[in-house]
């Protein structure tokens, strides 16, 4: 069984850009540990020399003509859904 | 309620009357909490346009519902989350556009597990949907609302999405038909992404003919979804008279409820009476499917859900000073615990040092599963088994233990991982009167023949 500590959960939360409420941490630690424990049964399988499947219908690099597809939506309509727009650009809080 | 019955009603009365009737039924049944919103104004406007002849098509005036992870006009697209609670879609999903082009009228948005993460609709940020046959039980999920509105005859059909069973299992729990097509059959453009390598779109209906009608409209290549396949779906009027069908032994163990096994065995007997050959087959990799699924799917969804950052659209946390704080707080407030759990598992299995042991291992195991399916399909037309190991469970029964909840998907995830078509059809009831679903699974792109076979069995 994989042990997941509170610190592990906080690390995963940081990797995932997630803040957690304090009450969630212990529950998530045990749930994530249990789920990882469950999926580790795959170690029983011999996958030596087996190719991984990332895509099921055999597609790879689907090409199309370099032309604009009309999505029926304007730049203004999309920007209208942002929280802060200055000169047609989305504004974000300071990074550092 | 079938599509042809509704079309007859429209002819006898008007599209407006039929749409008003659906809206009234939706309101009368609001205690099931199957719908998150009604698109009333737009629906009535379109109904009037049908009555005046401005809108025509195969489904002119026929009301339907979409799961609330489909972008559609007339109401917010919430994905049952706080993150998108007020999100007003700037465009519509291709599947919705195609139905509208045939005159169909969307009357509302169905409840789901937030971002389609779940198998009971209990993970909706706005409260669970109740089962159409017993209000103390779950609707199933994640397309729970879509299954319940169909089962309650509020509309003749609804659209859902299926990543690991989210159309089939709720259809099974509510006595409806649920179709998970071959991966790439129906465009996913305009549908909130979950796991890109298994997500598919399909209908929930009351019978096979309606499912075929809807599939023939929504399927086909879409230049806005590069994973779509060239259109191959066409309704089959004839079926292969003697089919060889494999009963998946691994799905019929003692762990599966006896009533469920009995109903599946009865369906098998009906197939035999109709002249088909049914024999037991083994799918040993089925046992590992859920483990494969709970590595690949969290990995993919953790990437897909990275876009919800509080900047371009969706919920944004107030009163934060830095960008990192904005991301963290927005995502804390916008996601339910199950979303967070899955995102963090995804981050874990994709993180450096663990990638090979989890993600790569799972993708290799997925190949082994697909190989087993291919071997069975080399001498079987399709496979059969239950859709889920139990009938609908009680609300709250599985919420404390995620693995117990996940185990309910054990029979639906194999077809999702392989990308092959699988459908759930009503197979009768258990001793408490709850519906049992029978699942038929076919090889890649056999959707039409699988549905034709199921249709041929409907009245036997």
């Amino acid at each position: 069984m994989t042990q997941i500590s509170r610190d592990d959960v906080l690390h995963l939360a940081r990797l995932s850009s997630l803040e957690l409420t304090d009450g969630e941490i212990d529950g998530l630690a045990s749930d994530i540990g249990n789920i990882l424990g469950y999926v580790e049964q795959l170690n029983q399988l011999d996958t030596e020399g087996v190719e991984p499947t990332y895509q099921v219908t055999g597609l790879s690099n689907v090409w199309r003509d370099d032309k604009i597809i009309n999505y029926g939506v304007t730049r203004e309509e999309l920007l209208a859904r942002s929280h802060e727009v200055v000169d047609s650009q989305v504004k974000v809080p300071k990074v550092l | 309620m079938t599509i042809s019955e509704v079309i007859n009603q429209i002819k006898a009365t008007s599209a407006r009357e039929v749409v008003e009737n659906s809206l009234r039924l939706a309101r009368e049944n609001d205690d099931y909490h199957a719908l998150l919103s009604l698109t009333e104004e737009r629906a009535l406007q379109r109904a009037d346009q049908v009555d005046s002849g401005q809108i025509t098509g195969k489904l002119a005036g026929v009301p339907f519902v979409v799961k609330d992870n489909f972008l559609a006009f007339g109401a917010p697209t919430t994905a049952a989350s706080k993150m998108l609670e007020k999100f007003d879609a700037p465009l519509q999903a291709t599947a919705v556009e195609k139905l509208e082009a045939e005159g169909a009228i969307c009357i509302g948005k169905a409840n789901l597990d937030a971002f389609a993460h779940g198998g009971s609709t209990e993970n909706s940020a706005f409260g669970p949907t109740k089962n159409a046959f017993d209000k103390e039980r779950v609707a199933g999920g994640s397309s729970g609302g879509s299954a319940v509105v169909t089962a309650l005859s509020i509309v003749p059909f609804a659209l859902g999405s299926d990543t690991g069973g989210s159309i089939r299992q709720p259809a099974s729990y509510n006595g409806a038909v649920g179709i998970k097509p071959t991966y790439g059959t129906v465009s996913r453009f305009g549908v909130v992404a979950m796991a890109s390598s298994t997500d598919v779109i399909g209908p929930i209906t009351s019978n096979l003919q309606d499912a075929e009608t809807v599939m023939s409209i929504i399927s086909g290549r879409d230049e806005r979804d590069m994973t779509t396949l060239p259109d191959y779906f066409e309704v089959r009027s004839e079926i292969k008279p003697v089919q060889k069908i494999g009963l998946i032994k691994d799905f019929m163990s003692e762990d599966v409820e006896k009533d469920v096994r009995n109903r599946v065995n009865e369906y098998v007997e009906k197939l035999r009476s109709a002249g088909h050959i049914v024999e037991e087959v083994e799918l040993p990799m089925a046992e590992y499917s859920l483990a494969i699924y709970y590595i690949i799917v969290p990995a993919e969804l953790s990437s897909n859900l990275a876009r919800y950052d509080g900047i371009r659209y969706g919920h944004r946390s107030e009163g934060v000073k830095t960008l990192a704080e904005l991301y963290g707080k927005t995502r804390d407030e916008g996601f339910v615990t199950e979303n967070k759990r899955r995102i963090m598992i995804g981050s874990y299995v994709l993180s450096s040092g663990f990638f090979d042991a989890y993600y790569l291992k799972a993708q290799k195991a997925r190949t082994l599963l697909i190989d087993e399916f291919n071997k069975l399909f080399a001498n079987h037309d399709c496979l059969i088994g239950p859709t889920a190991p139990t009938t609908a469970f009680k609300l709250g029964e599985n919420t404390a233990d995620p693995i117990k909840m996940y185990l309910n998907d054990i029979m639906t995830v194999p077809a999702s991982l392989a990308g092959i078509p699988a459908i759930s059809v009503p197979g009768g009831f258990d001793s408490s009167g709850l519906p049992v679903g029978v699942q038929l699974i076919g090889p890649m792109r056999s959707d039409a023949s699988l549905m034709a076979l199921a249709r041929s069995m409907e009245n036997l």
Side-chain angles (χ1 to χ4, degrees):
Chain A
M1 193 55 63
T2 306
Q3 289 293 330
I4 295 290
S5 66
R6 280 178 70 91
D7 282 347
D8 292 333
V9 171
L10 292 171
H11 175 64
L12 289 173
R14 267 194 304 278
L15 287 178
S16 314
S17 286
L18 273 174
E19 275 195 17
L20 300 176
T21 32
D22 204 44
E24 281 178 313
I25 300 171
D26 288 333
L28 283 166
S30 91
D31 289 345
I32 293 172
N34 287 340
I35 293 162
L36 291 172
Y38 178 82
V39 302
E40 277 160 13
Q41 63 178 285
L42 293 187
N43 293 335
Q44 298 160 12
L45 292 171
D46 179 9
T47 52
E48 189 68 40
V50 177
E51 286 296 316
T53 298
Y54 296 108
Q55 210 283 335
V56 288
T57 50
L59 293 178
S60 68
N61 296 341
V62 181
W63 300 98
R64 65 169 175 83
D65 292 337
D66 187 16
K67 61 172 173 43
I68 295 167
I69 298 171
N70 181 9
Y71 281 56
V73 61
T74 64
R75 175 189 166 108
E76 288 68 34
E77 284 170 329
L78 292 174
L79 283 170
R81 283 155 180 86
S82 298
H83 293 273
E84 220 178 335
V85 176
V86 180
D87 296 336
S88 296
Q89 298 190 59
V90 178
K91 192 180 172 188
V92 299
K94 67 175 183 190
V95 176
L96 293 170
Chain B
M1 183 178 22
T2 67
I3 289 175
S4 62
E5 282 166 14
V6 173
I7 290 173
N8 286 336
Q9 278 168 25
I10 295 168
K11 279 183 192 150
T13 60
S14 65
R16 186 172 181 105
E17 208 160 304
V18 164
V19 168
E20 277 176 346
N21 189 47
S22 275
L23 290 163
R24 180 181 57 77
L25 283 170
R27 289 205 174 85
E28 280 174 14
N29 288 296
D30 67 353
D31 49 339
Y32 287 93
H33 200 237
L35 288 155
L36 293 176
S37 59
L38 293 174
T39 48
E40 178 158 16
E41 200 185 322
R42 192 162 187 279
L44 291 174
Q45 197 180 16
R46 284 178 53 78
D48 288 341
Q49 287 171 327
V50 170
D51 290 330
S52 68
Q54 284 166 275
I55 292 178
T56 55
K58 276 186 242 170
L59 298 179
V62 176
F64 72 101
V65 158
V66 289
K67 188 176 180 176
D68 203 16
N69 56 351
F70 285 67
L71 301 189
F73 296 145
T77 298
T78 70
S81 71
K82 296 277 183 197
M83 186 67 86
L84 295 175
E85 188 170 7
K86 295 172 187 144
F87 183 69
D88 173 28
L91 43 79
Q92 300 203 101
T94 298
V96 175
E97 289 277 306
K98 284 184 156 185
L99 287 166
E100 286 202 343
E102 288 293 349
I105 298 179
C106 177
I107 66 143
K109 310 288 302 283
N111 199 11
L112 63 150
D113 291 289
F115 287 102
H117 300 178
S120 69
T121 320
E122 290 167 291
N123 291 330
S124 167
F126 310 117
T129 296
K130 292 163 185 170
N131 188 281
F133 287 76
D134 180 349
K135 284 185 204 165
E136 292 186 357
R137 291 178 186 270
V138 298
S142 62
S143 311
S146 298
V148 170
V149 289
T150 309
L152 294 175
S153 291
I154 292 170
V155 284
F157 73 93
L159 294 184
S161 61
D162 188 315
T163 302
S166 281
I167 288 174
R168 290 162 284 162
Q169 184 253 35
S172 155
Y173 282 4
N174 292 283
V177 171
I179 310 295
K180 180 206 104 65
T182 296
Y183 180 83
T185 305
V186 181
S187 170
R188 302 176 296 183
F189 178 76
V191 179
V192 175
M194 180 179 163
S196 303
S197 82
T198 71
D199 284 351
V200 297
I201 305 304
I204 295 177
T205 62
S206 68
N207 68 15
L208 261 303
Q209 192 187 359
D210 288 352
E212 291 172 308
T213 301
V214 176
M215 279 300 295
S216 67
I217 294 170
I218 63 176
S219 62
R221 174 109 180 104
D222 179 7
E223 63 177 1
R224 299 181 297 179
D225 175 355
M226 298 308 264
T227 62
T228 45
L229 302 169
D231 198 6
Y232 65 90
F233 186 88
E234 57 180 51
V235 178
R236 298 278 165 86
S237 49
E238 285 172 15
I239 68 156
K240 190 177 161 190
V242 181
Q243 301 199 18
K244 202 166 162 200
I245 301 165
L247 171 63
I248 304 171
K249 229 171 107 181
D250 311 74
F251 288 179
M252 297 291 278
S253 74
E254 299 263 307
D255 297 337
V256 177
E257 271 179 13
K258 196 157 181 280
D259 281 349
V260 171
R261 279 182 279 141
N262 287 345
R263 295 299 90 78
V264 172
N265 283 325
E266 285 162 19
Y267 197 94
V268 164
E269 284 315 310
K270 281 202 301 180
L271 284 165
R272 286 182 175 135
S273 310
H276 302 296
I277 299 156
V278 186
E279 59 177 30
E280 285 192 335
V281 295
E282 285 178 18
L283 187 69
M285 280 299 295
E287 188 190 336
Y288 296 98
S289 295
L290 205 64
I292 302 171
Y293 183 84
Y294 276 99
I295 292 172
I296 293 171
V297 167
E300 293 184 5
L301 72 85
S302 70
S303 307
N304 276 327
L305 269 60
R307 72 190 69 179
Y308 301 104
D309 55 7
I311 290 171
R312 288 154 303 159
Y313 56 85
H315 175 70
R316 173 180 214 161
S317 191
E318 298 296 332
V320 293
K321 293 200 177 66
T322 67
L323 192 61
E325 220 184 324
L326 175 71
Y327 291 156
K329 283 218 162 68
T330 295
R331 289 161 66 78
D332 175 33
E333 294 161 4
F335 291 136
V336 300
T337 304
E338 179 66 15
N339 302 141
K340 295 179 185 178
R341 193 183 284 135
R342 293 192 186 197
I343 290 169
M344 290 198 289
I345 291 169
S347 296
Y348 184 92
V349 300
L350 291 176
S351 57
S352 101
F354 294 112
F355 181 89
D356 285 5
Y358 291 94
Y359 190 68
L360 189 62
K361 182 82 182 178
Q363 299 288 32
K364 289 178 176 178
R366 184 184 201 173
T367 305
L368 297 177
L369 171 70
I370 292 170
D371 288 348
E372 277 188 4
F373 270 125
N374 286 341
K375 272 184 202 140
L376 291 178
F377 290 132
N379 43 45
H380 294 87
D381 295 284
C382 64
L383 306 173
I384 188 173
T387 306
T390 68
T391 52
F393 47 90
K394 288 244 166 85
L395 285 156
E397 190 178 322
N398 289 338
T399 42
D401 182 354
I403 291 180
K404 213 171 150 210
M405 187 71 93
Y406 296 170
L407 280 166
N408 234 272
D409 295 337
I410 197 143
M411 292 155 176
T412 46
V413 296
S416 292
L417 290 167
I420 54 181
I423 66 182
S424 180
V425 297
F429 300 88
D430 72 5
S431 55
S432 337
L434 297 168
V436 172
V438 175
Q439 186 177 209
L440 294 166
I441 303 174
M444 208 56 111
R445 304 189 202 201
S446 69
D447 310 53
S449 43
L450 200 60
M451 290 167 74
L453 171 68
R455 171 162 40 82
S456 76
M457 299 302 298
E458 267 181 335
N459 298 313
L460 298 181

